[in-house]
Each structure stands twice: as C-alpha cells, then as structure tokens.
Amino acid sequence: MITVAKPWLPNRDALDGYLDGIYERGWLTNNGPLVQELTRRLQAWLGVEHLLLLGNGTLALQVAIRTLGVDVPLNGKPAEAITTPFSFIATASALKWKGIEPVFVDIDPHSWNLDAQYVAAAVTPQTRVIVPVHVFGNACEVEQIQAVAQQHRLKVIYDAAHAFGVDYRGQSLLNWGDAATLSFHATKAFHTVEGGAIVFKRAEDLQRAEQIINFGQSSPGRVDELGINAKMSELHAAMGLCVLDEMDANLAARQRVWEAYHRAFGQQFALQRWNPSASHGYTYFPLLLDSEQQLLDTMHRLAVQGIQTRRYFYPSLDTVTSLGKHPAQRISIDTAARILCLPLHAELVDADMLKIIAGVKGV
Ligand code: T4K
C-alpha cells in the first residue's frame, strides 16, 4: 500500500540516546530540558523568536486565541473571526471551541488562500481577529491582510500548520501576524508525533501563553488566569530533535517527489498558483481536477492499485453543519470538490512515483 503520508522515522540509536537521558533525569514533562532545547533549535532553524511548543496544532490555535484576548464577547454577542472555508476542520472548530463565530470569506481560485480583497467587506463591529491559512504551505497575501487588520484594529493569527520552513521575501513566513501556529503531527514533514507551536510577534504574548499552557499558573500554587494543560512532553521533544537533525535529507527526498509530480502534471492539470515571493515546504501535492466525478474516478482507480489519496480539504467548511449556518462560498465549494492530494513523503521510490503518475493519467 502506498500511503498518502508516512511519518519520518529518525535514526533509532539517536532517539535511544535521548531516551537514555530522559531515564537518567527522570524528568518527563513540564518544560523539561529537551523541550527547551527543541525550542532553541527550532527558533534558530526557522529564523523566529518567541516560539512556544505545545501538545498539538489545534491547541496552538486555541492558546493563541486566548493569549491575544480575541475570544472575549463584544456587547454581549460572540466575537467574530474572518477566516477561510478551504482548510482542515481544525481551523474553524478551534474558533468555535473558543466561542468565536467563524465568518467565512471566499478563496482565490488560483492560490486557494483566503482572498484578501474580500476581507475588509466582511468586517463587522463584532470582528476581533483574522485567521487566514497558508494552505498547503502557500503564503497568503500577507501585506494586504495586515493592511486591513491595521485599519480596523484587528489581530491576525495565521494558521501556518503547513508552512514549516517557508520563507517570504527571504524571512520566515511565521514572522507575519500577531501569531502564527504550527502543527507537528506525525503526517507533517517536521513532526514530534503529536505537537505544535505558536510563534508570537511580541515577547509579552509568549510569556502570557507560557502560563496559559500550564493551567494559568505563574508559579506553583499561584494561578493568575484561566489556563489549560497544553504542554509538550520530553518524549515528544526527543522525537522532534531527532527529526530536526535529519530535516535536510527529509526535505530533499520530498522535494524530489514534488518535482517529479510537477514535471508529470504541470501541463495536464491546474496546480496551485504559488506565491512568487515565497519558498516551498513540499508539504502536499494537490491536483485540481476538472470535475468531482473525475476526482472520484481517479481516486478509485488509484485505490484499486493500492495507492491512497486524500481529499484535503473536503468539504468546504461553510457547509459543515457543526460550525453553524453560513452563506455559501462558491469558489471554495467548487475547489474543495475537485482537489485531490497525492502521496508525498520521503520513502516514495521511483517505482512508486511511476505507478502513481501512470495511475493518475489512466495509462
Ligand atoms: N490547521 C490545519 C490547516 C491543519 O491541516 C491541521 C491538521 C491543524 C490545524 C491541526 O493540527 P493538529 O492538531 O493535527 O496538530 C491529518 C492530521 O491528523 C492533521 O494533523 C492534519 N492537519 C490533517 C490535514 O491531516 P488525517 O485524517 O489525514 O490522518 P490519517 O491518520 O488518516 O493519516 C493519513 C495516512 O498517513 C494514513 O492512512 C497512513 C499514514 N500514516 C498516518 C499516521 C497518523 C502513517 O503511516 N502513520 C501514522 O502514524 O489527518
């Protein structure tokens, strides 16, 4: 079976070395030395400051929301967040869990990101925050989004779950917004089994979030505010340190697969239009098919050959009933119905790629 994703499993001896240290110290969680080491190493690797590690990317969104205070109701009514309907469910469900109403704005038909030109028109007196997603790692129109936020005094939290290592105009994309959140789930290029992070613009927000993820405590027995347990453990950090050590090989292998697909499909299918000022993280390879029927046929044809594909991200979030009733976002609904993600991971060999490419082309 060729799976759509496959976690990078780092050198076992290296991981054992970290586990030996954990056994010797007997320190398993609560901001241990490996969590601190991974924090420092990720800050250097990504080119960011003020990075906080957490239990997963969904908690990262929720803690960022809480830290920036954008969940506080206004005039007795829930706060609103302007966000994209084309994303994984976690983007919008994290807002709902924090009591925030998602207000969906349609996507650009080529970049598949929130269309910045519609954002200003969606601002209401209830709006507190804009939550765009760098979909499949493709950088949003950050300057335009920032301009709207400044004009209306809104916060911006980028869901950067797919944008690990992506640069924009030569600097980390994660430095845009009041906060950017990451997912380190096993299926991601960089992972800690389960895990996530927030990159804050301001040091004071990082300090506040450090308390929030530790039950709101500033010191043992002193609770300064409402918190939660969202900490990363030492075992997860150990995996992260090992994966980070091998990141160059991992990314090179992913890039090779991505480029083979790009050569094979670039003329035949509509592909995501990449932001020309941004680098690539090689997280996903989405194809935009002509129709949903063509997608279903392709998916089935590949499945019978033992090739797994995924409909990331289907359905369009404006149609998900647990998120409430929302006006239909035409472009997102149409795009979500036609996008199929192909297997993309470092263990794909040439024979796998040839099989996948032939399977998609139906030859
Ligand atoms: N925001 C955005 C924009 C996101 O995309 C996500 C998550 C989040 C926020 C939230 O971050 P987290 O709270 O998850 O950190 C996956 C991931 O669970 C999820 O992290 C990810 N986005 C989402 C797009 O995809 P599934 O449902 O595809 O995972 P699953 O278990 O079906 O795995 C797919 C295939 O990968 C398996 O069939 C085989 C292979 N696999 C998977 C795992 C877990 C393995 O070979 N080994 C494994 O351990 O959700």
PDB file of all heavy atoms in Angstrom, residues 3-7 56-59 61 87-88 90-91 133 159 161-162 182-188 194-196 284 308 310 312-313, ligand 1:
ATOM      1  N   THR A   3       0.864   4.885   0.956  1.00  0.00           N
ATOM      2  CA  THR A   3       0.001   5.778   1.748  1.00  0.00           C
ATOM      3  C   THR A   3       0.227   7.236   1.363  1.00  0.00           C
ATOM      4  O   THR A   3       1.297   7.606   0.874  1.00  0.00           O
ATOM      5  CB  THR A   3       0.262   5.599   3.258  1.00  0.00           C
ATOM      6  OG1 THR A   3       1.672   5.741   3.497  1.00  0.00           O
ATOM      7  CG2 THR A   3      -0.205   4.240   3.734  1.00  0.00           C
ATOM      8  N   VAL A   4      -0.776   8.047   1.611  1.00  0.00           N
ATOM      9  CA  VAL A   4      -0.714   9.458   1.237  1.00  0.00           C
ATOM     10  C   VAL A   4       0.364  10.194   2.040  1.00  0.00           C
ATOM     11  O   VAL A   4       0.998  11.133   1.549  1.00  0.00           O
ATOM     12  CB  VAL A   4      -2.116  10.115   1.384  1.00  0.00           C
ATOM     13  CG1 VAL A   4      -2.543  10.253   2.836  1.00  0.00           C
ATOM     14  CG2 VAL A   4      -2.164  11.453   0.669  1.00  0.00           C
ATOM     15  N   ALA A   5       0.574   9.729   3.268  1.00  0.00           N
ATOM     16  CA  ALA A   5       1.610  10.322   4.134  1.00  0.00           C
ATOM     17  C   ALA A   5       2.326   9.183   4.838  1.00  0.00           C
ATOM     18  O   ALA A   5       1.796   8.072   4.949  1.00  0.00           O
ATOM     19  CB  ALA A   5       0.979  11.251   5.164  1.00  0.00           C
ATOM     20  N   LYS A   6       3.532   9.438   5.286  1.00  0.00           N
ATOM     21  CA  LYS A   6       4.263   8.446   6.072  1.00  0.00           C
ATOM     22  C   LYS A   6       5.229   9.210   6.973  1.00  0.00           C
ATOM     23  O   LYS A   6       6.039   9.992   6.471  1.00  0.00           O
ATOM     24  CB  LYS A   6       5.040   7.508   5.136  1.00  0.00           C
ATOM     25  CG  LYS A   6       5.523   6.270   5.824  1.00  0.00           C
ATOM     26  CD  LYS A   6       5.811   5.183   4.799  1.00  0.00           C
ATOM     27  CE  LYS A   6       5.934   3.847   5.512  1.00  0.00           C
ATOM     28  NZ  LYS A   6       6.238   2.766   4.603  1.00  0.00           N
ATOM     29  N   PRO A   7       5.130   9.011   8.282  1.00  0.00           N
ATOM     30  CA  PRO A   7       5.990   9.793   9.170  1.00  0.00           C
ATOM     31  C   PRO A   7       7.463   9.484   8.947  1.00  0.00           C
ATOM     32  O   PRO A   7       7.832   8.336   8.702  1.00  0.00           O
ATOM     33  CB  PRO A   7       5.559   9.340  10.571  1.00  0.00           C
ATOM     34  CG  PRO A   7       4.258   8.661  10.408  1.00  0.00           C
ATOM     35  CD  PRO A   7       4.219   8.119   9.010  1.00  0.00           C
ATOM     36  N   ASN A  56      -0.333  20.049  20.428  1.00  0.00           N
ATOM     37  CA  ASN A  56      -0.714  19.840  19.027  1.00  0.00           C
ATOM     38  C   ASN A  56      -1.085  21.181  18.385  1.00  0.00           C
ATOM     39  O   ASN A  56      -1.142  22.211  19.073  1.00  0.00           O
ATOM     40  CB  ASN A  56      -1.863  18.815  18.891  1.00  0.00           C
ATOM     41  CG  ASN A  56      -3.115  19.233  19.621  1.00  0.00           C
ATOM     42  OD1 ASN A  56      -3.667  20.293  19.375  1.00  0.00           O
ATOM     43  ND2 ASN A  56      -3.568  18.409  20.562  1.00  0.00           N
ATOM     44  N   GLY A  57      -1.347  21.123  17.086  1.00  0.00           N
ATOM     45  CA  GLY A  57      -1.614  22.359  16.341  1.00  0.00           C
ATOM     46  C   GLY A  57      -2.982  22.961  16.635  1.00  0.00           C
ATOM     47  O   GLY A  57      -3.178  24.163  16.450  1.00  0.00           O
ATOM     48  N   THR A  58      -3.928  22.129  17.057  1.00  0.00           N
ATOM     49  CA  THR A  58      -5.263  22.646  17.391  1.00  0.00           C
ATOM     50  C   THR A  58      -5.189  23.453  18.692  1.00  0.00           C
ATOM     51  O   THR A  58      -5.744  24.560  18.788  1.00  0.00           O
ATOM     52  CB  THR A  58      -6.258  21.467  17.529  1.00  0.00           C
ATOM     53  OG1 THR A  58      -6.172  20.670  16.350  1.00  0.00           O
ATOM     54  CG2 THR A  58      -7.674  21.944  17.720  1.00  0.00           C
ATOM     55  N   LEU A  59      -4.483  22.898  19.672  1.00  0.00           N
ATOM     56  CA  LEU A  59      -4.264  23.653  20.918  1.00  0.00           C
ATOM     57  C   LEU A  59      -3.494  24.940  20.639  1.00  0.00           C
ATOM     58  O   LEU A  59      -3.735  25.968  21.289  1.00  0.00           O
ATOM     59  CB  LEU A  59      -3.481  22.801  21.921  1.00  0.00           C
ATOM     60  CG  LEU A  59      -4.290  21.763  22.684  1.00  0.00           C
ATOM     61  CD1 LEU A  59      -3.359  20.791  23.418  1.00  0.00           C
ATOM     62  CD2 LEU A  59      -5.219  22.449  23.689  1.00  0.00           C
ATOM     63  N   LEU A  61      -3.734  26.867  18.081  1.00  0.00           N
ATOM     64  CA  LEU A  61      -4.715  27.878  17.654  1.00  0.00           C
ATOM     65  C   LEU A  61      -5.501  28.396  18.851  1.00  0.00           C
ATOM     66  O   LEU A  61      -5.692  29.605  19.024  1.00  0.00           O
ATOM     67  CB  LEU A  61      -5.684  27.261  16.641  1.00  0.00           C
ATOM     68  CG  LEU A  61      -5.195  27.126  15.197  1.00  0.00           C
ATOM     69  CD1 LEU A  61      -6.107  26.199  14.406  1.00  0.00           C
ATOM     70  CD2 LEU A  61      -5.124  28.495  14.523  1.00  0.00           C
ATOM     71  N   SER A  87      -9.926  24.763   4.354  1.00  0.00           N
ATOM     72  CA  SER A  87      -8.882  24.354   5.292  1.00  0.00           C
ATOM     73  C   SER A  87      -9.317  23.064   5.962  1.00  0.00           C
ATOM     74  O   SER A  87     -10.444  22.588   5.773  1.00  0.00           O
ATOM     75  CB  SER A  87      -8.666  25.439   6.347  1.00  0.00           C
ATOM     76  OG  SER A  87      -7.600  25.081   7.212  1.00  0.00           O
ATOM     77  N   PHE A  88      -8.407  22.522   6.768  1.00  0.00           N
ATOM     78  CA  PHE A  88      -8.766  21.388   7.627  1.00  0.00           C
ATOM     79  C   PHE A  88      -9.759  21.889   8.682  1.00  0.00           C
ATOM     80  O   PHE A  88      -9.696  23.046   9.096  1.00  0.00           O
ATOM     81  CB  PHE A  88      -7.490  20.843   8.286  1.00  0.00           C
ATOM     82  CG  PHE A  88      -7.654  19.535   8.998  1.00  0.00           C
ATOM     83  CD1 PHE A  88      -8.197  18.436   8.362  1.00  0.00           C
ATOM     84  CD2 PHE A  88      -7.244  19.399  10.318  1.00  0.00           C
ATOM     85  CE1 PHE A  88      -8.332  17.216   9.019  1.00  0.00           C
ATOM     86  CE2 PHE A  88      -7.373  18.187  10.989  1.00  0.00           C
ATOM     87  CZ  PHE A  88      -7.922  17.097  10.328  1.00  0.00           C
ATOM     88  N   ALA A  90      -9.900  21.731  11.712  1.00  0.00           N
ATOM     89  CA  ALA A  90      -9.367  22.274  12.972  1.00  0.00           C
ATOM     90  C   ALA A  90      -9.306  23.798  12.982  1.00  0.00           C
ATOM     91  O   ALA A  90      -9.455  24.419  14.044  1.00  0.00           O
ATOM     92  CB  ALA A  90      -7.962  21.708  13.231  1.00  0.00           C
ATOM     93  N   THR A  91      -9.109  24.422  11.833  1.00  0.00           N
ATOM     94  CA  THR A  91      -9.005  25.889  11.811  1.00  0.00           C
ATOM     95  C   THR A  91     -10.294  26.507  12.346  1.00  0.00           C
ATOM     96  O   THR A  91     -10.262  27.362  13.241  1.00  0.00           O
ATOM     97  CB  THR A  91      -8.753  26.395  10.363  1.00  0.00           C
ATOM     98  OG1 THR A  91      -7.661  25.682   9.806  1.00  0.00           O
ATOM     99  CG2 THR A  91      -8.474  27.881  10.354  1.00  0.00           C
ATOM    100  N   VAL A 133      -5.186  30.980   6.483  1.00  0.00           N
ATOM    101  CA  VAL A 133      -4.377  29.753   6.483  1.00  0.00           C
ATOM    102  C   VAL A 133      -3.439  29.812   5.277  1.00  0.00           C
ATOM    103  O   VAL A 133      -3.882  30.145   4.170  1.00  0.00           O
ATOM    104  CB  VAL A 133      -5.280  28.499   6.349  1.00  0.00           C
ATOM    105  CG1 VAL A 133      -4.445  27.218   6.326  1.00  0.00           C
ATOM    106  CG2 VAL A 133      -6.301  28.453   7.479  1.00  0.00           C
ATOM    107  N   ASP A 159      -2.884  30.503  10.580  1.00  0.00           N
ATOM    108  CA  ASP A 159      -2.769  29.059  10.746  1.00  0.00           C
ATOM    109  C   ASP A 159      -1.713  28.610   9.735  1.00  0.00           C
ATOM    110  O   ASP A 159      -1.981  28.538   8.527  1.00  0.00           O
ATOM    111  CB  ASP A 159      -4.120  28.380  10.491  1.00  0.00           C
ATOM    112  CG  ASP A 159      -4.057  26.877  10.717  1.00  0.00           C
ATOM    113  OD1 ASP A 159      -2.941  26.319  10.673  1.00  0.00           O
ATOM    114  OD2 ASP A 159      -5.116  26.252  10.913  1.00  0.00           O
ATOM    115  N   ALA A 161      -0.063  25.715   9.807  1.00  0.00           N
ATOM    116  CA  ALA A 161       0.133  24.280  10.057  1.00  0.00           C
ATOM    117  C   ALA A 161       0.942  23.604   8.950  1.00  0.00           C
ATOM    118  O   ALA A 161       1.651  22.630   9.205  1.00  0.00           O
ATOM    119  CB  ALA A 161      -1.219  23.583  10.209  1.00  0.00           C
ATOM    120  N   HIS A 162       0.835  24.146   7.721  1.00  0.00           N
ATOM    121  CA  HIS A 162       1.536  23.502   6.581  1.00  0.00           C
ATOM    122  C   HIS A 162       2.776  24.269   6.165  1.00  0.00           C
ATOM    123  O   HIS A 162       3.371  23.938   5.139  1.00  0.00           O
ATOM    124  CB  HIS A 162       0.621  23.431   5.347  1.00  0.00           C
ATOM    125  CG  HIS A 162      -0.757  22.934   5.632  1.00  0.00           C
ATOM    126  ND1 HIS A 162      -1.856  23.283   4.894  1.00  0.00           N
ATOM    127  CD2 HIS A 162      -1.220  22.108   6.599  1.00  0.00           C
ATOM    128  CE1 HIS A 162      -2.938  22.700   5.373  1.00  0.00           C
ATOM    129  NE2 HIS A 162      -2.580  21.989   6.422  1.00  0.00           N
ATOM    130  N   LEU A 182       1.640  26.338  14.269  1.00  0.00           N
ATOM    131  CA  LEU A 182       2.179  25.209  13.502  1.00  0.00           C
ATOM    132  C   LEU A 182       1.641  23.895  14.039  1.00  0.00           C
ATOM    133  O   LEU A 182       1.337  23.796  15.241  1.00  0.00           O
ATOM    134  CB  LEU A 182       3.701  25.184  13.633  1.00  0.00           C
ATOM    135  CG  LEU A 182       4.463  26.316  12.916  1.00  0.00           C
ATOM    136  CD1 LEU A 182       5.819  26.517  13.565  1.00  0.00           C
ATOM    137  CD2 LEU A 182       4.604  26.010  11.443  1.00  0.00           C
ATOM    138  N   SER A 183       1.571  22.903  13.154  1.00  0.00           N
ATOM    139  CA  SER A 183       1.241  21.536  13.580  1.00  0.00           C
ATOM    140  C   SER A 183       2.455  20.651  13.363  1.00  0.00           C
ATOM    141  O   SER A 183       3.052  20.674  12.276  1.00  0.00           O
ATOM    142  CB  SER A 183       0.071  20.984  12.764  1.00  0.00           C
ATOM    143  OG  SER A 183       0.003  19.568  12.924  1.00  0.00           O
ATOM    144  N   PHE A 184       2.793  19.867  14.388  1.00  0.00           N
ATOM    145  CA  PHE A 184       3.877  18.895  14.257  1.00  0.00           C
ATOM    146  C   PHE A 184       3.323  17.472  14.330  1.00  0.00           C
ATOM    147  O   PHE A 184       3.920  16.575  14.932  1.00  0.00           O
ATOM    148  CB  PHE A 184       4.938  19.115  15.350  1.00  0.00           C
ATOM    149  CG  PHE A 184       5.570  20.485  15.349  1.00  0.00           C
ATOM    150  CD1 PHE A 184       6.074  21.037  16.513  1.00  0.00           C
ATOM    151  CD2 PHE A 184       5.680  21.224  14.172  1.00  0.00           C
ATOM    152  CE1 PHE A 184       6.668  22.295  16.521  1.00  0.00           C
ATOM    153  CE2 PHE A 184       6.270  22.490  14.165  1.00  0.00           C
ATOM    154  CZ  PHE A 184       6.769  23.026  15.345  1.00  0.00           C
ATOM    155  N   HIS A 185       2.151  17.284  13.723  1.00  0.00           N
ATOM    156  CA  HIS A 185       1.535  15.948  13.684  1.00  0.00           C
ATOM    157  C   HIS A 185       2.403  14.997  12.852  1.00  0.00           C
ATOM    158  O   HIS A 185       3.125  15.422  11.947  1.00  0.00           O
ATOM    159  CB  HIS A 185       0.133  16.058  13.064  1.00  0.00           C
ATOM    160  CG  HIS A 185      -0.597  14.758  13.033  1.00  0.00           C
ATOM    161  ND1 HIS A 185      -0.667  13.979  11.897  1.00  0.00           N
ATOM    162  CD2 HIS A 185      -1.259  14.083  13.997  1.00  0.00           C
ATOM    163  CE1 HIS A 185      -1.355  12.890  12.166  1.00  0.00           C
ATOM    164  NE2 HIS A 185      -1.729  12.929  13.429  1.00  0.00           N
ATOM    165  N   ALA A 186       2.295  13.717  13.161  1.00  0.00           N
ATOM    166  CA  ALA A 186       3.128  12.684  12.530  1.00  0.00           C
ATOM    167  C   ALA A 186       3.127  12.743  11.009  1.00  0.00           C
ATOM    168  O   ALA A 186       4.110  12.359  10.368  1.00  0.00           O
ATOM    169  CB  ALA A 186       2.661  11.313  13.000  1.00  0.00           C
ATOM    170  N   THR A 187       2.022  13.207  10.406  1.00  0.00           N
ATOM    171  CA  THR A 187       1.941  13.225   8.941  1.00  0.00           C
ATOM    172  C   THR A 187       2.649  14.431   8.316  1.00  0.00           C
ATOM    173  O   THR A 187       2.736  14.523   7.091  1.00  0.00           O
ATOM    174  CB  THR A 187       0.460  13.232   8.491  1.00  0.00           C
ATOM    175  OG1 THR A 187      -0.206  14.298   9.181  1.00  0.00           O
ATOM    176  CG2 THR A 187      -0.221  11.921   8.796  1.00  0.00           C
ATOM    177  N   LYS A 188       3.134  15.343   9.148  1.00  0.00           N
ATOM    178  CA  LYS A 188       3.796  16.545   8.619  1.00  0.00           C
ATOM    179  C   LYS A 188       5.286  16.259   8.351  1.00  0.00           C
ATOM    180  O   LYS A 188       5.874  15.349   8.934  1.00  0.00           O
ATOM    181  CB  LYS A 188       3.672  17.703   9.619  1.00  0.00           C
ATOM    182  CG  LYS A 188       2.243  18.061   9.997  1.00  0.00           C
ATOM    183  CD  LYS A 188       1.519  18.734   8.848  1.00  0.00           C
ATOM    184  CE  LYS A 188       0.190  19.331   9.243  1.00  0.00           C
ATOM    185  NZ  LYS A 188      -0.796  18.394   9.774  1.00  0.00           N
ATOM    186  N   GLU A 194       2.858  13.911  17.981  1.00  0.00           N
ATOM    187  CA  GLU A 194       1.819  14.936  18.137  1.00  0.00           C
ATOM    188  C   GLU A 194       2.562  16.162  18.636  1.00  0.00           C
ATOM    189  O   GLU A 194       3.491  16.040  19.439  1.00  0.00           O
ATOM    190  CB  GLU A 194       0.763  14.542  19.167  1.00  0.00           C
ATOM    191  CG  GLU A 194      -0.167  13.413  18.764  1.00  0.00           C
ATOM    192  CD  GLU A 194      -1.369  13.868  17.937  1.00  0.00           C
ATOM    193  OE1 GLU A 194      -1.496  15.073  17.666  1.00  0.00           O
ATOM    194  OE2 GLU A 194      -2.161  12.987  17.554  1.00  0.00           O
ATOM    195  N   GLY A 195       2.134  17.316  18.219  1.00  0.00           N
ATOM    196  CA  GLY A 195       2.793  18.524  18.716  1.00  0.00           C
ATOM    197  C   GLY A 195       2.415  19.723  17.887  1.00  0.00           C
ATOM    198  O   GLY A 195       1.751  19.600  16.847  1.00  0.00           O
ATOM    199  N   GLY A 196       2.824  20.866  18.355  1.00  0.00           N
ATOM    200  CA  GLY A 196       2.553  22.102  17.632  1.00  0.00           C
ATOM    201  C   GLY A 196       3.328  23.240  18.262  1.00  0.00           C
ATOM    202  O   GLY A 196       4.067  23.033  19.247  1.00  0.00           O
ATOM    203  N   TYR A 284       2.476  19.128   0.593  1.00  0.00           N
ATOM    204  CA  TYR A 284       1.385  18.386  -0.070  1.00  0.00           C
ATOM    205  C   TYR A 284       1.562  18.511  -1.575  1.00  0.00           C
ATOM    206  O   TYR A 284       2.198  19.447  -2.064  1.00  0.00           O
ATOM    207  CB  TYR A 284       0.014  18.988   0.298  1.00  0.00           C
ATOM    208  CG  TYR A 284      -0.346  18.839   1.758  1.00  0.00           C
ATOM    209  CD1 TYR A 284       0.023  19.817   2.676  1.00  0.00           C
ATOM    210  CD2 TYR A 284      -1.042  17.727   2.230  1.00  0.00           C
ATOM    211  CE1 TYR A 284      -0.291  19.682   4.024  1.00  0.00           C
ATOM    212  CE2 TYR A 284      -1.362  17.588   3.566  1.00  0.00           C
ATOM    213  CZ  TYR A 284      -0.985  18.566   4.463  1.00  0.00           C
ATOM    214  OH  TYR A 284      -1.293  18.440   5.782  1.00  0.00           O
ATOM    215  N   GLN A 308      -3.118   5.283  -1.942  1.00  0.00           N
ATOM    216  CA  GLN A 308      -4.054   6.087  -1.151  1.00  0.00           C
ATOM    217  C   GLN A 308      -3.923   7.569  -1.527  1.00  0.00           C
ATOM    218  O   GLN A 308      -2.805   8.088  -1.630  1.00  0.00           O
ATOM    219  CB  GLN A 308      -3.717   5.923   0.334  1.00  0.00           C
ATOM    220  CG  GLN A 308      -4.647   6.662   1.273  1.00  0.00           C
ATOM    221  CD  GLN A 308      -4.103   6.653   2.700  1.00  0.00           C
ATOM    222  OE1 GLN A 308      -2.903   6.760   2.934  1.00  0.00           O
ATOM    223  NE2 GLN A 308      -4.999   6.519   3.661  1.00  0.00           N
ATOM    224  N   ARG A 310      -6.003  11.582  -0.759  1.00  0.00           N
ATOM    225  CA  ARG A 310      -6.914  12.206   0.212  1.00  0.00           C
ATOM    226  C   ARG A 310      -7.537  13.465  -0.353  1.00  0.00           C
ATOM    227  O   ARG A 310      -6.878  14.204  -1.078  1.00  0.00           O
ATOM    228  CB  ARG A 310      -6.154  12.581   1.487  1.00  0.00           C
ATOM    229  CG  ARG A 310      -6.106  11.499   2.551  1.00  0.00           C
ATOM    230  CD  ARG A 310      -7.462  11.271   3.183  1.00  0.00           C
ATOM    231  NE  ARG A 310      -7.532   9.987   3.831  1.00  0.00           N
ATOM    232  CZ  ARG A 310      -7.150   9.744   5.081  1.00  0.00           C
ATOM    233  NH1 ARG A 310      -6.677  10.705   5.823  1.00  0.00           N
ATOM    234  NH2 ARG A 310      -7.265   8.541   5.586  1.00  0.00           N
ATOM    235  N   TYR A 312      -7.954  16.403   0.812  1.00  0.00           N
ATOM    236  CA  TYR A 312      -7.649  17.589   1.629  1.00  0.00           C
ATOM    237  C   TYR A 312      -7.963  18.797   0.766  1.00  0.00           C
ATOM    238  O   TYR A 312      -7.368  18.939  -0.304  1.00  0.00           O
ATOM    239  CB  TYR A 312      -6.181  17.636   2.026  1.00  0.00           C
ATOM    240  CG  TYR A 312      -5.652  16.495   2.834  1.00  0.00           C
ATOM    241  CD1 TYR A 312      -4.486  15.852   2.446  1.00  0.00           C
ATOM    242  CD2 TYR A 312      -6.288  16.072   3.994  1.00  0.00           C
ATOM    243  CE1 TYR A 312      -3.953  14.818   3.200  1.00  0.00           C
ATOM    244  CE2 TYR A 312      -5.774  15.028   4.751  1.00  0.00           C
ATOM    245  CZ  TYR A 312      -4.600  14.406   4.346  1.00  0.00           C
ATOM    246  OH  TYR A 312      -4.078  13.386   5.083  1.00  0.00           O
ATOM    247  N   PHE A 313      -8.934  19.673   1.060  1.00  0.00           N
ATOM    248  CA  PHE A 313      -9.751  19.702   2.259  1.00  0.00           C
ATOM    249  C   PHE A 313     -11.196  19.687   1.821  1.00  0.00           C
ATOM    250  O   PHE A 313     -11.636  20.632   1.178  1.00  0.00           O
ATOM    251  CB  PHE A 313      -9.436  20.942   3.095  1.00  0.00           C
ATOM    252  CG  PHE A 313      -8.022  20.918   3.575  1.00  0.00           C
ATOM    253  CD1 PHE A 313      -7.055  21.649   2.942  1.00  0.00           C
ATOM    254  CD2 PHE A 313      -7.676  20.094   4.635  1.00  0.00           C
ATOM    255  CE1 PHE A 313      -5.742  21.590   3.375  1.00  0.00           C
ATOM    256  CE2 PHE A 313      -6.361  20.051   5.085  1.00  0.00           C
ATOM    257  CZ  PHE A 313      -5.389  20.781   4.444  1.00  0.00           C
TER     258      PHE A 313
HETATM  259  N1  T4K B   1      -4.755  23.591  10.887  1.00  0.00           N
HETATM  260  C1  T4K B   1      -4.564  22.970   9.704  1.00  0.00           C
HETATM  261  C2  T4K B   1      -4.629  23.788   8.463  1.00  0.00           C
HETATM  262  C3  T4K B   1      -4.313  21.585   9.655  1.00  0.00           C
HETATM  263  O1  T4K B   1      -4.152  20.976   8.471  1.00  0.00           O
HETATM  264  C4  T4K B   1      -4.258  20.865  10.865  1.00  0.00           C
HETATM  265  C5  T4K B   1      -4.024  19.429  10.849  1.00  0.00           C
HETATM  266  C6  T4K B   1      -4.443  21.561  12.078  1.00  0.00           C
HETATM  267  C7  T4K B   1      -4.696  22.930  12.045  1.00  0.00           C
HETATM  268  C8  T4K B   1      -4.431  20.868  13.384  1.00  0.00           C
HETATM  269  O2  T4K B   1      -3.143  20.382  13.742  1.00  0.00           O
HETATM  270  P1  T4K B   1      -3.036  19.102  14.736  1.00  0.00           P
HETATM  271  O3  T4K B   1      -3.933  19.361  15.929  1.00  0.00           O
HETATM  272  O4  T4K B   1      -3.423  17.858  13.969  1.00  0.00           O
HETATM  273  O5  T4K B   1      -1.566  19.101  15.135  1.00  0.00           O
HETATM  274  C9  T4K B   1      -4.154  14.609   9.236  1.00  0.00           C
HETATM  275  C10 T4K B   1      -3.584  15.097  10.549  1.00  0.00           C
HETATM  276  O6  T4K B   1      -4.092  14.385  11.675  1.00  0.00           O
HETATM  277  C11 T4K B   1      -3.734  16.556  10.799  1.00  0.00           C
HETATM  278  O7  T4K B   1      -2.659  16.927  11.650  1.00  0.00           O
HETATM  279  C12 T4K B   1      -3.639  17.382   9.535  1.00  0.00           C
HETATM  280  N2  T4K B   1      -3.861  18.792   9.758  1.00  0.00           N
HETATM  281  C13 T4K B   1      -4.641  16.890   8.534  1.00  0.00           C
HETATM  282  C14 T4K B   1      -4.592  17.684   7.247  1.00  0.00           C
HETATM  283  O8  T4K B   1      -4.324  15.549   8.210  1.00  0.00           O
HETATM  284  P2  T4K B   1      -5.604  12.563   8.529  1.00  0.00           P
HETATM  285  O9  T4K B   1      -7.018  12.385   8.865  1.00  0.00           O
HETATM  286  O10 T4K B   1      -5.236  12.643   7.120  1.00  0.00           O
HETATM  287  O11 T4K B   1      -4.634  11.459   9.177  1.00  0.00           O
HETATM  288  P3  T4K B   1      -4.650   9.888   8.998  1.00  0.00           P
HETATM  289  O12 T4K B   1      -4.470   9.295  10.329  1.00  0.00           O
HETATM  290  O13 T4K B   1      -5.809   9.458   8.193  1.00  0.00           O
HETATM  291  O14 T4K B   1      -3.309   9.630   8.168  1.00  0.00           O
HETATM  292  C15 T4K B   1      -3.237   9.624   6.748  1.00  0.00           C
HETATM  293  C16 T4K B   1      -2.328   8.472   6.332  1.00  0.00           C
HETATM  294  O15 T4K B   1      -0.997   8.709   6.748  1.00  0.00           O
HETATM  295  C17 T4K B   1      -2.682   7.118   6.917  1.00  0.00           C
HETATM  296  O16 T4K B   1      -3.714   6.481   6.230  1.00  0.00           O
HETATM  297  C18 T4K B   1      -1.378   6.382   6.820  1.00  0.00           C
HETATM  298  C19 T4K B   1      -0.354   7.474   7.093  1.00  0.00           C
HETATM  299  N3  T4K B   1       0.044   7.485   8.495  1.00  0.00           N
HETATM  300  C20 T4K B   1      -0.624   8.250   9.412  1.00  0.00           C
HETATM  301  C21 T4K B   1      -0.243   8.238  10.741  1.00  0.00           C
HETATM  302  C22 T4K B   1      -1.005   9.064  11.747  1.00  0.00           C
HETATM  303  C23 T4K B   1       1.121   6.677   8.893  1.00  0.00           C
HETATM  304  O17 T4K B   1       1.722   5.990   8.052  1.00  0.00           O
HETATM  305  N4  T4K B   1       1.498   6.695  10.203  1.00  0.00           N
HETATM  306  C24 T4K B   1       0.867   7.435  11.144  1.00  0.00           C
HETATM  307  O18 T4K B   1       1.267   7.424  12.313  1.00  0.00           O
HETATM  308  O19 T4K B   1      -5.298  13.893   9.362  1.00  0.00           O
END
